[in-house]
Amino acid sequence: MKLAILGGGGVRIPLFVRGVLSRPGISFREICLFEPDQARRETIGRLAMEVAAALGHRGVVTLTPDVEEAFTGADFVFSAIRVGGDRGRLIDEEVALRRGLVGQETTGPGGCAMALRTIPVVLSYCEALARYAPGAVLINFTNPAGLITQAISLHSAVRAVGVCDTPSGALDRLATFLDAHRDEVGFSYGGLNHLGWISSFRVAGRERIGTLLDRYEELQRFDHRFAAFDPDFVRRLGAVPTEYDYYYYEPQRYVQAVAKAGASRGADVLRLNSGLLGDIAKAFEAGDVHDAWQAYFTQMHIRRASYMRTDMAGEAMPLAAAAGGQDQAAGHDATGHDAGDLGPAGGGADRPGGYEGVALAVIAALTGRRPASVIVNTRNGASLPFLDPDDVVEVPAHIDGGGVAPLAGGSLPRSARGLVTQVKEYEREVVSAAVTGDAERAAFALALHPLVPGVTVAREMMSEYRERHGPDLAYLR
Amino acid sequence: MKLAILGGGGVRIPLFVRGVLSRPGISFREICLFEPDQARRETIGRLAMEVAAALGHRGVVTLTPDVEEAFTGADFVFSAIRVGGDRGRLIDEEVALRRGLVGQETTGPGGCAMALRTIPVVLSYCEALARYAPGAVLINFTNPAGLITQAISLHSAVRAVGVCDTPSGALDRLATFLDAHRDEVGFSYGGLNHLGWISSFRVAGRERIGTLLDRYEELQRFDHRFAAFDPDFVRRLGAVPTEYDYYYYEPQRYVQAVAKAGASRGADVLRLNSGLLGDIAKAFEAGDVHDAWQAYFTQMHIRRASYMRTDMAGEAMPLAAAAGGQDQAAGHDATGHDAGDLGPAGGGADRPGGYEGVALAVIAALTGRRPASVIVNTRNGASLPFLDPDDVVEVPAHIDGGGVAPLAGGSLPRSARGLVTQVKEYEREVVSAAVTGDAERAAFALALHPLVPGVTVAREMMSEYRERHGPDLAYLR
Amino acid sequence: MKLAILGGGGVRIPLFVRGVLSRPGISFREICLFEPDQARRETIGRLAMEVAAALGHRGVVTLTPDVEEAFTGADFVFSAIRVGGDRGRLIDEEVALRRGLVGQETTGPGGCAMALRTIPVVLSYCEALARYAPGAVLINFTNPAGLITQAISLHSAVRAVGVCDTPSGALDRLATFLDAHRDEVGFSYGGLNHLGWISSFRVAGRERIGTLLDRYEELQRFDHRFAAFDPDFVRRLGAVPTEYDYYYYEPQRYVQAVAKAGASRGADVLRLNSGLLGDIAKAFEAGDVHDAWQAYFTQMHIRRASYMRTDMAGEAMPLAAAAGGQDQAAGHDATGHDAGDLGPAGGGADRPGGYEGVALAVIAALTGRRPASVIVNTRNGASLPFLDPDDVVEVPAHIDGGGVAPLAGGSLPRSARGLVTQVKEYEREVVSAAVTGDAERAAFALALHPLVPGVTVAREMMSEYRERHGPDLAYLR
Amino acid sequence: MKLAILGGGGVRIPLFVRGVLSRPGISFREICLFEPDQARRETIGRLAMEVAAALGHRGVVTLTPDVEEAFTGADFVFSAIRVGGDRGRLIDEEVALRRGLVGQETTGPGGCAMALRTIPVVLSYCEALARYAPGAVLINFTNPAGLITQAISLHSAVRAVGVCDTPSGALDRLATFLDAHRDEVGFSYGGLNHLGWISSFRVAGRERIGTLLDRYEELQRFDHRFAAFDPDFVRRLGAVPTEYDYYYYEPQRYVQAVAKAGASRGADVLRLNSGLLGDIAKAFEAGDVHDAWQAYFTQMHIRRASYMRTDMAGEAMPLAAAAGGQDQAAGHDATGHDAGDLGPAGGGADRPGGYEGVALAVIAALTGRRPASVIVNTRNGASLPFLDPDDVVEVPAHIDGGGVAPLAGGSLPRSARGLVTQVKEYEREVVSAAVTGDAERAAFALALHPLVPGVTVAREMMSEYRERHGPDLAYLR
């Protein structure tokens, strides 16, 4: 099988490749990294090749700046691109934050601007994919993942599945918390990407959601991703919200937390990444692969360890990994990226974890190797009956050689239906604005977002986004 | 027929009585004003009696501080009370406004606090009504009208209809704008009280909504209640929003407008009303009924003429009526309160207008005198299929001697469904909090309101409301 | 106002005209009977003119064989035609009956054949109407009324309302049974034409459906239209079925009843009508208007008095009216046709009764004279949520100058939903077969009818209908 | 794992045991046959033990007349009982057939009588199961499988899955017909047990339902289970009906076919089975295990080869297997029962086939060994949105260690919704009648069945069933 990766020079790719190649079961004859930027190919790309070699798969990872070469012969394509880069993200955040609004990269104004930059680019890749590998399946990580998958689903001929590890990560943590084996867990999950709830959690047929709610304070100490929610509010919801729901349930606290931290996540990541390519290049020039990996891995660790701590707790991102703290923090990390060298990803768990775990679960299921229920972003059909059949939703789906079939009735907490309906309406309008290139429609789409206080401010922000993002949004008129 | 009025000493009552007694068709043998406050009975109440006398109905208006006396023998009861008075309203607004949030009295945090003060009081009146006049129909004006009607519908045995003149007023104005006779107008309207849209407007069977949208700027000049909406946004909606939708579509502009005006509506009304009772009392002491009426009418006129101008345009309420401006302003007023003396309300239009017009239309229909379709707040049934059958919604209903039956499919603009779903969920939770007396539930209800940025701030505000409203909210624990 | 009548030479027309002209309130300057058949114009048509004259409206009734003349200037058009005549009806029945299947003219195979003959004719009249009187409203009585209205609604530009007096007649009888004034009755009714149920019956706000079910045996003695249903079954339904539901609840009993009676309703009516035109013509030749009326009225009385007695009780239609029995029978008749001369229709009831009563109620409401809730066949919208918005259903609708708006949620008994869904699917397919002229589709439509035992027998019957109906069905290929 | 079998002495059990023990993957330490009838234990039961021994699993099959012994320690329970035996089935058929109505054992009147006999017995076993093995999962084959599973689901604490091999068998045959590998097939299926349709059939992501419909005549020659449907009608449906839909689409042809054959299926099976136990006993007495197997296998083969031929084609069941015809016939049989000795069931296909195949697929999925999408009878949830969440429906469900989750939107052909709604309503009422023991409710339930022409005939049939079934229906009052 050949796997092509759009955004092959992204910083997460070496870890992704290590994860993919460390797992038993699926073997790829080629993992082709598509990356137009030469500096990224020569640093991140090369690092990914070294990882493959260290794992005994020398030659499996290839690099190309040519999309035809990348797609031809591909069975699966991963898409994980960031149009506008880290600087674009910073603009997304700033325009919202300086108005006292949520500036997170995937939700609210920031997510809207990101989607508007990204949709035309992704759709043009999809056109190429339909030409060079019409049978391939696109596995979309590109954020905002639900919105982008909706655009692909409605406006392209490509078969696409949107994936995010947030809900499966939450389920894994809940299982661990209850000392349950993940395979005996049944659950209900539903919503949109980055706006989902776990409303039932059964272990060996017994409903345990009540236990989880009763012990929610304990769960918050167990993992900080549950920590930002008011426990009594969660109990009233009757469901466990996933971490991104925070931006909807506590927008004002988020704004205050970022102010306290002194810098937004985007600013931190930009700062963190800025020296990374240079450091890796320097290490490679010095011929030291291990140093290159260390420079890389340290920064990825800082990033992971500080995930959501700015937004939820107002903690500034540390400039360097605390000595010794690394392993401990990693111990809480369900993604399995717990080893500091190029060797196999730790644990050897055959349970999918992290981005690559979910992606591999989808691939294993679609090839018929291991049919499974995976939470994905896919065409709704009748799964959430208050949305349209054509909407893309985030729900568990049965996946096997026959395709992707969403399960019925991902029951949401009652109070979430209105919120989800509203966000989906916003998403539909963003997609329409992007494919028609209509700037006013984009502003009105943004005005429909529940985190945006009105039409006037939405118009102002859209104006500012268009001005500051320059060519990336120049198609909007 | 006997009509009892809860809140019979409210400032609007003399005008209401004048309106009721000026219209042909329905005659009441008694209009009994229930008012526990002696000062109000002796000023406002007496003024209402004088109005009746001036219209040739001496003795029809009666006053009582006793609820049994008021209800016994009543066929219909109007409820228009304000628990906590004008000072309560000011608190409602201030707690929200100083956090930069919408502080309007019927929507958002202010509406929530008002509802929580009011529900227990209204339900206890309903209990009395069920005892003293079990067959009577309650016509509820008490704000927030939809929410209060929902509380009555779910938690009382009384037959109740919630009424507001906002949607019918908007329809009247649209008909006038198009030079159409109101009787040949067919329309679609749907939503909740103070959150509704006109999505179809047919004249003699021909759809004219497109014309209204095309000429929306002209419509804005025609009546200022349409002026605060972005015309292009309205065209994208595909429906004419009614005036209170402003608080949802432009919360930030509202906050800025109030800041610009220098005082909120509630502060203005408090100031305006503060001397009113004294002025009336003085005039009565001096034996000058006409002076009492003038003092009253002038202030009512200022109030009406400045309606929504603070919130939408940032204009401060004038301290006194501009000379000569009175009639002109009244000319824009569809309510028909256009005469400065105690005589019959102007126009003689048999078309219901204003509060009393809608109330009389409901009474005329329920008594079988003139079956009609009236926009009311009533049990949803299957009218808005995305809400629960038990929810109270604001839709056109066929009313005749057989009762109130909502029309099917008050089609909302697509983007409004999520908003309405969310606000209704908030309303359900407010009612539940009020009937259980659960303060935390009240805070979480508020957190669900789309104009409230999160659980933490909702908790803070609810705390402050409880502290500042003292005994009115002391039942919440 | 001008009223045009399609099928102006139909046997019911003189009574219809008498009913229309006897009622206060609506006055027509012209009632134009369109009738291509000269013999019918000279007998039935002339009788209608004499009735008008006797009521003091000489000259109001006009006759024409020309459709342009009939439609030009019309405000309303009644359609009550029978393509294929009484002989066609007989064929409809026979083809079904000789297979042991329900052969009633409006349901099952008979109704299907009737609809297929009628739809093309009605649609061509609609085309003419759209040309000659584009603003006119068509009030459709032509049977099967729901199916024909569905065809018009989907395939013509004409505004149409389908009307049948079955449900309103049933409501009137229930009110009489309970000694209630019809104006204080509230009710729930829903379904399709000739397939409807009354599931709530409130008097002055109090639910009385339980009483009606408890006393159902008594109700059966009160009026024979309730007599054919199993009382215990009706109680289990929890709703009062209207009389045509009999064909669905007792198809086998119907077949046995017809066998017992020795002749179907269609055969009886054919026999009864066969001499009628001759008798009337003879009386007119003899110059005796009163004799003409007597001949006519006697036969109409026999017809009315024997309504449904063959199908439900296996009683053969009497050949002549029993002496003296006439008035008594008429006394049970809510239609008000109780007088044997040309003078005003009896009772003077201002409550609409019978065909013309419902039609006049619709006209009075549409002209804005008396807005009302009337049970009509109209576009579903969201009234019955399990059917399509475009389906025509039989539900109460609010009618006023603004148009026809179905009420929400005509709640059916739970067990009826499947039946109604199935019959509506059959209706959709019949309409599609008629407009495409597809004989096979017609057969398959028939196969979907719940009273037809399979595809094979449906094909056989459709074949036989096409053969026996000759030119009327020759368009099916 | 321990598997208990209710109805362990049923004639299909030896083949079932052979199938279970021939498949790789799942191994049972005990298969316990519960059978109260001694003669059956000593013939059928012993034969099952011999089969196990011949397959190298001596001692795995155990026999018991004691339900506590059977259930204790069981992980799974299969239920395949026939209350009233073959004679009961004959009565079920006769009462309907002599009225010209469908008398099939699982649909229509016959299925109703069978369900009424069976529900109380099954529910009492469920009570025992909840006591002796509360964690066990019941896999219900007992017919009518959907209706019985509905009774269990609503009225017992046992976790149950209803299984039938009709839909999976049809899918297998369609895959074979198109030369597709079953693992690359995606499909849509939905309905109720014995009333289902395949509305989408995708091979490697490409929709092929159009091809199947275009080539339907060829498909009919390929397998006789598709042969009884009118190909043009099927094309109009737009979906492939499964074989039992025949009774709904061609009830009259069924009645004619049985008349032509001279005996119903039930009569044939009764005749066929009547000597079977004696023959097996004789062979065992003579010590000849192989002879016992031959006697058994020959009769099972006749039965299988003649499946549906009486009902669909009017062919009488042959009295003995045609020489040599056996293998050929078996070649058409997807169930894999193709060998005439006690050795392993043929083919070695790891694809589940036949009853035991579906059962084993469910077990493999529930134990987490191989998650899969299996068509089962399970609680609807939101799968078929026009039915109730609590209804049991037949749809594909994702099954894994977490439980059974129906897929969303098993889209039915449009015309099937009404039929399915009606049959489900009938099923609900049958279950209610059984648990309340209400004979009249049972009759009315039957009257709701689309194959029953009315309330009167339903009452008559229910009366006759109660009389003829004696003690089995004596609980109905």
Side-chain angles (χ1 to χ4, degrees), chain A residues 230 232-233 236 249-253 388 414 418 422 425 428 440-441 444 453-457 459, chain B residues 230 232-233 236 249-253 388 414 418 421-422 425 428 440-441 444 453-457 459:
Chain A
D230 183 311
D232 291 318
F233 181 74
R236 164 85 35 211
Y249 286 139
E250 294 287 5
Q252 194 178 88
R253 266 187 53 202
D388 288 353
R414 175 182 180 112
Q422 216 178 334
E425 177 65 17
R428 281 180 208 121
E440 189 173 75
R441 189 161 194 173
F444 293 157
V455 175
T456 301
V457 67
R459 279 194 174 238
Chain B
D230 183 312
D232 291 317
F233 181 74
R236 164 88 32 214
Y249 286 139
E250 295 287 4
Q252 195 178 88
R253 266 187 52 202
D388 288 354
R414 178 183 178 109
T421 304
Q422 215 177 334
E425 177 65 18
R428 282 179 208 121
E440 190 174 72
R441 189 162 194 170
F444 293 157
V455 175
T456 301
V457 68
R459 279 195 176 236

Side-chain angles (χ1 to χ4, degrees), chain C residues 72-299:
Chain C
T72 303
D75 300 287
F76 292 94
V77 177
F78 284 8
S79 172
I81 63 174
R82 181 178 288 280
V83 179
D86 291 335
R87 281 190 197 283
R89 175 183 184 168
L90 190 60
I91 294 168
D92 290 350
E93 291 178 357
E94 283 178 356
V95 169
L97 276 166
R98 69 180 197 72
R99 285 171 173 83
L101 303 179
V102 169
Q104 206 272 339
E105 61 167 338
T106 63
T107 60
C112 180
M114 190 190 199
L116 289 168
R117 287 200 304 284
T118 307
I119 290 170
V121 175
V122 162
L123 289 182
S124 94
Y125 283 132
C126 284
E127 230 172 285
L129 183 56
R131 193 160 48 242
Y132 300 127
V137 173
L138 179 72
I139 298 182
N140 179 59
F141 288 112
T142 298
N143 267 326
L147 222 161
I148 299 300
T149 308
Q150 172 121 350
I152 298 170
S153 171
L154 289 176
H155 298 287
S156 128
V158 164
R159 281 175 74 192
V161 185
V163 187
C164 174
D165 63 343
T166 294
S168 58
L171 289 166
D172 288 345
R173 288 188 289 277
L174 295 181
T176 307
F177 178 72
L178 290 180
D179 280 326
H181 193 284
R182 185 63 182 76
D183 273 348
E184 58 178 356
V185 168
F187 62 91
S188 295
Y189 172 86
L192 306 180
N193 180 238
H194 288 188
L195 186 59
W197 293 261
I198 296 160
S199 55
S200 169
F201 192 89
R202 298 176 298 280
V203 180
R206 264 183 66 214
E207 182 59 76
R208 303 296 301 276
I209 194 78
T211 308
L212 291 169
L213 297 176
D214 288 347
R215 295 171 56 192
Y216 196 78
E217 284 85 350
E218 201 183 323
L219 183 61
Q220 294 187 306
R221 291 187 295 271
F222 173 76
D223 190 283
H224 79 286
R225 270 160 288 208
F226 303 110
F229 298 95
D230 184 310
D232 291 318
F233 180 74
V234 170
R235 282 187 275 268
R236 163 89 31 216
L237 272 179
V240 175
T242 52
E243 65 246 38
Y244 283 88
D245 298 350
Y246 170 70
Y247 300 102
Y248 292 90
Y249 286 139
E250 294 288 6
Q252 195 178 89
R253 268 188 50 203
Y254 158 85
V255 172
Q256 291 165 348
V258 174
K260 185 182 159 208
S264 70
R265 177 74 176 172
D268 285 341
V269 167
L270 178 63
R271 189 163 39 90
L272 196 65
N273 283 349
S274 61
L276 181 59
L277 264 52
D279 292 352
I280 297 174
K282 216 177 298 169
F284 276 135
E285 271 164 45
D288 194 333
V289 172
H290 190 260
D291 265 17
W293 178 257
Q294 275 305 328
Y296 170 76
F297 191 80
T298 304
Q299 299 211 1

